[in-house]
């Protein structure tokens, strides 16, 4: 098992990419703190991990609130030990994203990522290392639609991660980013209600001819969390089915 007995925090773990990441970490032996504001969804993630003989604990936390994040890390440390892995996945609701609601997007995705990183760094320094995986987006690399604040925040996560990795590398702490393309999760439900064909319309944009699954990103996060990626820091892993590499409107007929 690649994460045997390591302690991992996964934010936004009640559904989608966060849930898939928490489950994969649990499958590989990590003791997982399932962090989210959605209590029911978080408990479902814990139950799934435990059904597979893994260890997990749900902690209700709003990542934009420093005091709640501090409490989460204290609970993790007192229960399992200081976290060696942090996966920042939390994001606010899709409607806020599409409406370019500045404060909630920045507070959860950018400020929350910063607060969570700062909360685990002291423990990682004491242990002599750790891995932080921040989920950015293909939107950080190119524009899609009108989600301008979301794109800006996701680009900010990359810049923040690459800058901070230079400070903490001497402590054996690695910080990397994942940029997913379109991943089919419940966040798309509202769009599907408006246009039931929306996901099929997106598929031709992808060279691989399919959209992503949460486990596609969870597998990348697992690699970055594990010692297999021990020489990777400040890196941006684009897991997007090729959408940012090729303009498919120019593909051969």
């Amino acid at each position: 098992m690649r994460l045997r007995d390591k302690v991992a925090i996964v934010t936004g773990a009640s559904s989608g990419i966060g849930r898939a990441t928490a489950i994969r970490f649990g499958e590989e032996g990590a003791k997982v703190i399932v962090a989210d504001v959605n209590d029911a969804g978080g408990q479902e993630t814990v139950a799934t991990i435990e059904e597979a003989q893994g260890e997990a604990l749900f902690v209700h936390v709003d990542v934009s609130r420093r005091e709640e994040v501090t409490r989460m890390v204290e609970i993790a440390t007192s229960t399992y030990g200081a976290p060696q892995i942090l996966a920042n996945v939390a994001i606010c609701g899709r409607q806020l994203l599409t409406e370019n609601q500045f404060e909630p997007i920045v507070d959860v995705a950018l400020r929350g990522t910063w607060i969570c990183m700062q909360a685990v760094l002291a423990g990682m320094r004491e242990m002599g290392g750790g891995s932080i995986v921040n989920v950015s987006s293909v939107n950080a690399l190119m524009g899609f639609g009108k989600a301008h604040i979301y794109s800006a925040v996701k680009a900010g996560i990359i810049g923040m991660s690459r800058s901070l990795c230079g400070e903490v590398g001497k402590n054996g702490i690695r910080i990397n980013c994942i940029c997913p393309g379109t991943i089919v999760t419940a966040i798309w439900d509202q769009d599907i209600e408006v246009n039931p064909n929306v996901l099929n319309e997106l598929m031709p944009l992808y060279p691989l001819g399919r959209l992503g699954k949460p486990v596609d990103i969870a597998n990348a996060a697992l690699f970055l969390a594990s010692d297999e990626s021990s020489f990777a820091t400040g890196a941006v892993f684009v897991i997007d089915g090729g959408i940012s590499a090729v303009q498919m409107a120019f593909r051969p007929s």
Side-chain angles (χ1 to χ4, degrees):
M1 289 188 175
R2 285 174 275 185
L3 305 181
R4 184 184 297 278
D5 295 329
K6 292 190 176 182
V7 181
I9 293 174
V10 182
T11 72
S14 70
S15 63
I17 292 172
R19 171 176 285 180
T21 299
I23 291 170
R24 284 297 286 126
F25 285 4
E27 289 171 345
E28 290 292 333
K31 299 172 182 178
V32 186
I33 298 297
V34 174
D36 209 296
V37 294
N38 181 337
D39 294 10
Q43 294 291 2
E44 288 176 9
T45 301
V46 169
T48 301
I49 293 171
E50 291 179 339
E51 286 169 7
Q53 308 305 309
E55 290 188 66
L57 175 69
F58 173 71
V59 178
H60 179 103
V61 59
D62 177 346
V63 296
S64 71
R65 296 181 177 274
R66 191 178 302 273
E67 66 276 11
E68 293 189 23
V69 172
T70 299
R71 173 179 168 273
M72 171 186 68
V73 174
E74 289 173 348
I75 291 172
T77 302
S78 63
T79 305
Y80 297 130
Q84 297 130 304
I85 298 165
L86 168 65
N88 281 307
V89 190
I91 189 68
C92 54
R94 184 165 180 79
Q95 185 171 349
L96 295 171
L97 302 179
T98 57
E99 292 177 353
N100 287 299
Q101 294 291 324
F102 189 94
E103 285 80 8
I105 301 172
V106 172
D107 282 350
V108 174
L110 190 61
R111 176 179 165 81
T113 295
W114 174 255
I115 291 173
C116 288
M117 288 196 294
Q118 292 300 306
V120 301
L121 285 178
M124 289 182 176
R125 286 189 177 100
E126 289 181 8
M127 290 182 292
S131 177
I132 296 174
V133 183
N134 292 328
V135 175
S136 177
S137 172
V138 71
N139 286 64
L141 309 177
M142 58 190 296
F144 291 94
K146 298 180 180 180
H148 308 305
I149 305 305
Y150 175 75
S151 297
V153 164
K154 289 299 187 177
I157 288 173
I158 292 176
M160 184 167 63
S161 302
R162 287 171 63 84
S163 180
L164 185 58
C165 81
E167 177 184 332
V168 301
K170 63 181 180 294
N171 305 118
I173 301 168
R174 301 182 294 109
I175 306 175
N176 293 290
C177 290
I178 299 175
C179 289
T182 301
I183 307 299
V184 182
T185 69
I187 202 170
W188 283 95
D189 288 352
Q190 184 177 341
D191 298 79
I192 292 171
E193 288 182 10
V194 176
N195 176 11
N197 201 43
V198 62
L199 296 181
N200 289 329
E201 292 172 356
L202 290 173
M203 285 187 194
L205 302 176
Y206 285 85
L208 290 183
R210 73 170 177 89
L211 305 182
K213 299 174 289 186
V215 72
D216 293 322
I217 308 306
N219 285 332
L222 173 61
F223 168 70
L224 292 173
S226 76
D227 293 338
E228 293 174 4
S229 61
S230 62
F231 197 52
T233 195
V236 180
F237 286 75
V238 183
I239 314 294
D240 71 346
I243 191 171
S244 64
V246 179
Q247 170 50 267
M248 291 297 283
F250 291 96
R251 67 190 184 278
S253 60

